[in-house]
Amino acid sequence: MIKRFSHDKMLRQLGGWYLTILVAIAQMIALFGAIPGILSIKVNAKFEAQQLRNFSIILPVLIISSILILLYISRRITPTARKKLDVWADNTIRTKPEDDLSAWREITSLSWRYGIAAVFVISLVDILPIFYYSSSSMSQPAALDAPDPTYVLIGAVVSLCGSVIFATLLIERFTLPLRLILLPKDFETQLKGHSGLLLNGKFLALTLALIIIAVLLIAPIGYQHTFQVLYVEISSIEVFRELRVQSILFSVLALMLGAGFSYYVAKSISDPVYDLIKTFNKIEQGDLTQRAPVKATDELGIVTVQFNRMVSRLETLQTTLEQQVVERTKQLAATNEVGRVAASSLDPEQLFARIIPLFHEQFGYYFAAIYLLDPSGKWAELKEATGEAGKVLKQNHHRLDVAGKSMVGTAIRERSTRIAQVASEEKQRFDNPLLPYTRSEVALPLIVGERVLGALNVQSTKEADFGPQVIETMKNMVGQVAIAMENARLFQEAQQIIREMRTIQQHYLFEGWSEFSEQNQKLEYRIGDEMDEDSNKLETPISLRDQILGQIVLEGKDEWTADQQSLVDAIATQAAIALENARLVSESRHIALRERMVAEINSKIWSSATIDGVLQTVVKELGRRLDASSATVELSLDNPIGDET
């Protein structure tokens, strides 16, 4: 954590220069990789004292020059990466998407591009000048033990391989935090811009370099000791030359053999990785049936097996999810169908006949039934059921005791869902002989507010066939059924009230118009002349609230059209309303007149202070108001107070 904090702090201070500093540090540390080659030159080349002093002066200058050149090259090959690091350090706006791709490509390819550049720069700046100096400063080999500049070249190549490999590995390691910062958010950009050296190339290059270093370090030493023995013992130039040819030949063979071994070892690592990558690409396209071939017998083989197992589990999970989606879709379709039926029907029997079969059609359950409480609340009566067993049960008027031993009775009594995932283990269950294949069962109460209307009973031939989602779906369906039943009940009650009100209104209209007709005798109005029997008649009833008040009769020579008949119907309707209003106005006036008459008589009666005055006022006012020819009022007490006979 502290290390990461220091990295971030330095990076925010230095920005893009932080990358250059990391490369410089890697170069300085990588100089330790050149030490074996320098020691090989010192041991095998046999420089004189003056040559060693000159060599120690020239070599640091050349090394510093190559380091500076490589630093300049590293900056030239990473312009966009350094720019993005500056942006990240300053917390400014983000760069363009194409800059993300370029920066990612530059940072991932930095190590191997630096390695290639280092080989050429060190060869030109360090190795060639040193080899030239050693060749020109050494005397011509007059004897077999004279110094040979070939050892300088061999040691320089060893130093080159050691320092370049070390520097490449260090740069790869040091730039890891920068790669995490420059990593694009888009996966396609990550794949497209990834330019790092692949595992096969890394392993092959490293193995060959190590073989070359080993051969070039050990071969000269063995050659030197063999040369000393041969020179001292026999002093034969032919034997020496034969030895040199054989040493070179076997060194080349060792290099070739090492290259072959490293190639096949690298292939044994890279081929399974390539197979994994190919399988990755196919799986990414949606084909989860793909499996990577298990070619390796090492950790890569274990990784491949683990990968195949993971993909297999993903395939199983996807298949399970698809099945769950299908099941959930069926459940939603059934719920929607119940809602549609509940919204389109207010007849409970029709509602049950259309809903209960859905449990068999949509879910494939063995048996489904709906029970309703009777008026006493003691029995749950079967109203609808599926299959042949359902027909028999309905014919027998099957019912269950709410207080008895049954899933339906328990669900109604406890007002909660009862589930028997293993029917044979459920104690509170009625074992119906008509349903011998039941293995699991569920009963859900039909509840509206505080009232329990009944219960839904569903049975399956499979054990544990009622999962949480199925139960939740059934609860939704039961809730819709209960609401639909309550709506149907309220609708029927409303219809009954409407019918009663309509009957009362018809009776009121009939009595009102009957009394009005008696008071006014014949109510008829006619215009025009009577026509013969062959004329066309149009008879339209004048009705109000299903009570016929009269009719309109039209006669004419021509046939009456549909538009004319519609016009007459509309006029008849308006006429019925107008007639009723006129009758009500007339009745209101009559009542008002009577009330006024009563009020006037009452005022005169109360103005009389004696019994005779009251009696005279009553007789006179009633006779005058009612236009009676004779009027009499009499007070008579037939039974005295307290007489019980």
Side-chain angles (χ1 to χ4, degrees):
M1 194 71 182
I2 298 175
K3 184 178 179 181
R4 176 57 188 266
F5 175 75
S6 61
H7 273 297
D8 292 347
K9 185 176 180 181
M10 293 180 61
L11 181 56
R12 292 192 182 278
Q13 293 176 351
L14 300 174
W17 280 101
Y18 186 66
L19 176 60
T20 305
I21 293 175
L22 288 180
V23 174
I25 294 174
Q27 287 179 313
M28 299 301 296
I29 299 176
L31 292 177
F32 290 99
I35 292 177
I38 296 174
L39 294 177
S40 176
I41 294 175
K42 183 178 180 181
V43 171
N44 296 313
K46 296 181 180 180
F47 282 111
E48 298 176 357
Q50 183 62 36
Q51 290 176 331
L52 285 174
R53 286 193 294 270
N54 295 336
F55 187 78
S56 61
I57 296 173
I58 296 173
L59 183 60
V61 174
L62 297 178
I63 291 175
I64 293 173
S65 300
S66 62
I67 289 175
L68 294 176
I69 294 173
L70 288 173
L71 282 177
Y72 174 76
I73 292 175
S74 67
R75 289 185 60 82
R76 293 288 297 177
I77 62 178
T78 57
T80 310
R82 290 185 290 104
K83 177 182 176 182
K84 282 211 64 177
L85 291 175
D86 290 334
V87 170
W88 183 86
D90 296 337
N91 290 322
T92 56
I93 59 174
R94 294 189 60 188
T95 55
K96 300 178 181 179
E98 52 268 23
D99 292 339
D100 294 343
L101 177 62
S102 300
W104 178 242
R105 183 180 287 115
E106 290 171 2
I107 197 66
T108 54
S109 63
L110 175 61
S111 59
W112 67 265
R113 292 173 72 182
Y114 173 86
I116 294 175
V119 170
F120 285 101
V121 170
I122 295 175
S123 298
L124 295 176
V125 177
D126 295 342
I127 295 179
L128 289 180
I130 291 175
F131 180 72
Y132 176 76
Y133 170 75
S134 61
S135 299
S136 60
S137 62
M138 290 181 181
S139 59
Q140 294 295 329
L144 291 176
D145 59 347
D148 192 346
T150 304
Y151 294 117
V152 177
L153 181 61
I154 292 174
V157 172
V158 172
S159 298
L160 170 66
C161 294
S163 61
V164 170
I165 291 175
F166 203 4
T168 302
L169 295 176
L170 289 174
I171 291 174
E172 183 84 11
R173 177 61 182 171
F174 287 169
T175 57
L176 175 60
L178 306 185
R179 291 198 299 273
L180 296 176
I181 294 174
L182 299 177
L183 181 67
K185 302 299 182 184
D186 182 27
F187 294 111
E188 294 296 331
T189 305
Q190 294 179 18
L191 292 174
K192 184 178 179 181
H194 191 279
S195 302
L197 193 63
L198 298 180
L199 183 62
N200 190 20
K202 285 183 179 180
F203 188 83
L204 188 60
L206 180 62
T207 305
L208 286 176
L210 292 177
I211 293 174
I212 291 173
I213 291 173
V215 171
L216 294 181
L217 283 177
I218 297 174
I221 296 175
Y223 178 80
Q224 280 287 347
H225 288 287
T226 305
F227 165 74
Q228 293 293 336
V229 173
L230 292 176
Y231 180 75
V232 172
E233 294 295 331
I234 60 177
S235 300
S236 173
I237 191 65
E238 290 79 8
V239 174
F240 168 72
R241 290 175 178 174
E242 183 179 355
L243 173 63
R244 183 165 56 184
V245 171
Q246 291 177 356
S247 298
I248 295 174
L249 177 62
F250 284 109
S251 297
V252 172
L253 290 176
L255 288 174
M256 294 177 62
L257 184 62
F261 287 162
S262 62
Y263 173 77
Y264 282 105
V265 172
K267 289 287 288 182
S268 66
I269 298 175
S270 62
D271 284 351
V273 175
Y274 289 149
D275 291 335
L276 281 175
I277 293 174
K278 291 179 181 178
T279 309
F280 279 145
N281 294 331
K282 293 179 180 178
I283 292 174
E284 186 182 12
Q285 296 174 1
D287 187 6
L288 292 178
T289 60
Q290 294 293 326
R291 299 291 184 272
V294 184
K295 295 181 178 180
T297 57
D298 50 16
E299 290 85 350
L300 285 175
I302 298 175
V303 170
T304 305
V305 173
Q306 295 283 359
F307 171 76
N308 289 337
R309 185 173 68 173
M310 179 189 69
V311 175
S312 177
R313 290 180 177 176
L314 288 175
E315 183 183 11
T316 303
L317 178 61
Q318 184 186 49
T319 304
T320 304
L321 289 176
E322 290 176 352
Q323 293 176 353
Q324 291 177 357
V325 169
V326 172
E327 292 296 328
R328 191 59 178 165
T329 302
K330 290 172 59 178
Q331 295 169 9
L332 291 176
T335 304
N336 294 335
E337 181 65 17
V338 170
R340 187 185 65 81
V341 173
S344 62
S345 177
L346 292 173
D347 183 1
E349 293 184 359
Q350 183 182 6
L351 180 67
F352 299 153
R354 296 176 62 182
I355 288 178
I356 295 303
L358 290 176
F359 290 92
H360 176 72
E361 297 170 0
Q362 297 289 342
F363 300 101
Y365 289 127
Y366 171 51
F367 177 78
I370 191 165
Y371 293 82
L372 295 183
L373 280 174
D374 67 345
S376 66
K378 296 181 179 180
W379 298 94
E381 298 177 343
L382 179 69
K383 295 299 181 181
E384 186 63 40
T386 59
E388 295 297 327
K391 293 180 181 179
V392 175
L393 292 173
K394 284 193 295 182
Q395 291 174 358
N396 295 335
H397 302 287
H398 177 64
R399 65 179 186 174
L400 295 171
D401 187 359
V402 174
K405 177 183 175 183
S406 67
M407 296 278 289
V408 172
T410 305
I412 295 174
R413 188 172 62 252
E414 297 180 357
R415 304 168 63 91
S416 62
T417 302
R418 296 289 301 176
I419 306 172
Q421 299 290 11
V422 181
S424 59
E425 298 178 357
E426 178 61 36
K427 297 180 180 179
Q428 292 294 328
R429 180 178 177 275
F430 172 69
D431 191 5
N432 196 322
L434 296 176
L435 301 170
Y437 303 111
T438 299
R439 296 296 178 267
S440 58
E441 183 178 355
V442 63
L444 302 98
L446 297 169
I447 302 176
V448 176
E450 298 298 327
R451 297 174 56 240
V452 180
L453 307 180
L456 172 70
N457 180 240
V458 181
Q459 302 181 24
S460 174
T461 57
K462 302 177 182 177
E463 292 187 353
D465 201 20
F466 299 102
Q469 290 186 348
V470 174
I471 297 299
E472 189 65 27
T473 301
M474 288 186 180
K475 287 182 178 179
N476 294 333
M477 297 172 69
V478 165
Q480 293 182 359
V481 172
I483 293 173
M485 290 174 57
E486 183 67 11
N487 292 338
R489 184 186 67 82
L490 295 175
F491 175 76
Q492 290 177 352
E493 290 180 357
Q495 291 295 317
Q496 180 64 27
I497 294 173
I498 291 173
R499 285 193 295 269
E500 293 176 356
M501 292 179 62
R502 185 174 297 168
T503 302
I504 294 172
Q505 289 177 349
Q506 289 176 355
H507 182 70
Y508 169 75
L509 287 172
F510 179 77
E511 289 184 349
W513 279 101
S514 298
E515 183 180 351
F516 189 80
S517 299
E518 291 177 358
Q519 294 175 357
N520 295 275
Q521 299 299 322
K522 188 175 184 181
L523 297 175
E524 181 179 355
Y525 185 76
R526 182 183 183 90
I527 60 172
D529 300 329
E530 293 186 2
M531 301 186 69
D532 54 15
E533 297 179 355
D534 296 333
S535 62
N536 294 314
K537 290 185 179 182
L538 176 61
E539 297 180 354
T540 300
I542 301 175
S543 61
L544 181 65
R545 303 186 188 97
D546 297 333
Q547 177 63 46
I548 298 177
L549 306 179
Q551 66 176 356
I552 298 174
V553 180
L554 299 176
E555 295 183 3
K557 296 180 180 180
D558 300 328
E559 293 287 340
W560 299 97
T561 63
D563 291 339
Q564 292 173 334
Q565 187 171 358
S566 298
L567 177 62
V568 174
D569 291 339
I571 297 299
T573 301
Q574 297 299 321
I577 297 173
L579 288 170
E580 177 64 13
N581 291 337
R583 187 188 69 81
L584 292 174
V585 170
S586 177
E587 185 178 348
S588 299
R589 288 176 179 176
H590 179 71
I591 294 173
L593 181 61
R594 185 178 62 184
E595 293 294 334
R596 187 176 64 183
M597 183 189 305
V598 172
E600 291 176 355
I601 295 173
N602 286 338
S603 64
K604 291 181 180 182
I605 291 173
W606 285 100
S607 64
S608 300
T610 63
I611 295 176
D612 291 338
V614 172
L615 295 176
Q616 290 176 8
T617 302
V618 171
V619 171
K620 289 179 180 180
E621 290 298 324
L622 287 176
R624 185 172 63 84
R625 300 284 183 176
L626 300 178
D627 197 19
S629 59
S630 175
T632 302
V633 62
E634 179 182 359
L635 296 179
S636 176
L637 299 177
D638 295 334
N639 296 320
I641 298 176
D643 189 357
E644 297 180 357
T645 59

